[in-house]
Amino acid sequence: MMDQNRNSRQPAKKDQDPINGFIKAKEIFVIDQNGDKRGIMSKREAIELAESLQLDLLQVGLQPDGIAIAKIVNFGKYKYEQQKKAKELKKNQSKVENKEIRLTVNIGEHDLDTKAKKAREFLLDGDRVKVSLKFKGREIAYQDLGLATLDKFFKKIEDVAKIEKEAKLNTRFLDMYVVPKKN
């Protein structure tokens, strides 16, 4: 478990807590492997105590007065447990994807129904949908028709969706974001 050159080895990652010789504090509040508080010791005493138990000293916190809080642990086992927890959290996370539906000002009724049906599928899967209405040529002058088309589209999916961001003009696109309704 404990090698001779462990103190000369740097921590694997920059965001990892310092271990053994890489703890910068001169005084350390030590918690042993059973969770018992051993009190404040010098850095050398704490490292020697961990080595005598063939374990590692891991800094888990820092008090405002500069005293480090360190646990005596089997570092390999500790790292494995942390990875296991991270993997479990990642597995339970739901991933929300962004989908896009494109419309035009003069879209036919059947086409609008087809796009609404597809948007409904995305929303029922829990995805966020960006509804983009593209203005071609001089249609940009008739933004009120674009808003009417977006309203008509939203009425077809309003039972499963709510508007996250109202329609806003970006260059030639009128964009609106909808998300699934919470039951």
Side-chain angles (χ1 to χ4, degrees), residues 98-109:
N98 292 324
K99 302 289 186 172
E100 184 174 5
I101 299 286
R102 286 232 174 141
L103 308 172
T104 58
V105 175
N106 297 318
I107 190 168
E109 191 64 34

Side-chain angles (χ1 to χ4, degrees), residues 22-28 42-43 59 62 66-69:
F22 291 97
I23 297 174
K24 291 185 173 135
K26 291 180 178 23
E27 289 187 324
I28 300 172
S42 70
K43 180 178 167 181
Q59 180 178 331
L62 193 63
I67 297 175
I69 302 169

Side-chain angles (χ1 to χ4, degrees), residues 17 22 26 32 88 92 104 109 136 156:
D17 293 325
F22 291 97
K26 291 180 178 23
D32 68 13
E88 190 67 29
N92 293 335
T104 58
E109 191 64 34
K136 296 177 188 166
K156 293 180 184 292

Side-chain angles (χ1 to χ4, degrees), residues 2-180:
M2 183 75 200
D3 346 286
Q4 292 299 329
N5 59 357
R6 168 74 51 100
N7 288 341
S8 63
R9 199 172 72 195
Q10 287 187 345
K13 298 176 188 166
K14 289 185 179 185
D15 62 340
Q16 175 184 309
D17 293 325
I19 60 170
N20 300 329
F22 291 97
I23 297 174
K24 291 185 173 135
K26 291 180 178 23
E27 289 187 324
I28 300 172
F29 181 81
V30 179
I31 301 169
D32 68 13
Q33 69 276 22
N34 301 323
D36 299 328
K37 297 173 182 170
R38 291 286 186 105
I40 297 174
M41 303 180 183
S42 70
K43 180 178 167 181
R44 186 184 312 162
E45 288 174 12
I47 291 173
E48 286 173 2
L49 175 64
E51 285 177 352
S52 70
L53 297 169
Q54 293 185 335
L55 295 171
D56 301 301
L57 190 66
L58 174 72
Q59 180 178 331
V60 292
L62 193 63
Q63 293 179 340
D65 54 3
I67 297 175
I69 302 169
K71 265 185 161 179
I72 296 176
V73 294
N74 177 343
F75 188 67
K77 187 176 179 181
Y78 172 80
K79 227 165 92 174
Y80 172 74
E81 292 293 327
Q82 294 298 93
Q83 288 172 345
K84 214 164 119 177
K85 283 179 190 174
K87 190 175 180 181
E88 190 67 29
L89 285 173
K90 193 173 182 181
K91 186 172 80 172
N92 293 335
Q93 233 175 27
S94 64
K95 193 170 188 177
V96 175
E97 287 189 37
N98 292 324
K99 302 289 186 172
E100 184 174 5
I101 299 286
R102 286 232 174 141
L103 308 172
T104 58
V105 175
N106 297 318
I107 190 168
E109 191 64 34
H110 183 266
D111 291 340
L112 195 65
D113 289 339
T114 305
K115 301 263 185 178
K117 183 179 172 188
K118 197 66 186 169
R120 180 181 298 279
E121 286 176 25
F122 292 148
L123 291 163
L124 291 174
D125 287 343
D127 297 329
R128 179 178 181 224
V129 179
K130 175 182 177 182
V131 184
S132 295
L133 186 128
K134 184 176 184 181
F135 291 105
K136 296 177 188 166
R138 294 184 183 157
E139 289 177 348
I140 196 85
Y142 302 102
Q143 291 179 22
D144 53 334
L145 289 176
L147 287 169
T149 304
L150 280 178
D151 286 341
K152 196 177 351 173
F153 177 81
F154 183 70
K155 282 191 179 21
K156 293 180 184 292
I157 60 169
E158 70 183 341
D159 59 321
V160 294
K162 66 178 181 180
I163 296 175
E164 185 182 50
K165 284 187 184 174
E166 290 291 334
K168 183 179 176 193
L169 186 68
N170 295 326
T171 58
R172 288 210 162 275
F173 289 95
L174 197 57
D175 295 332
M176 173 176 76
Y177 290 88
V178 292
V179 292

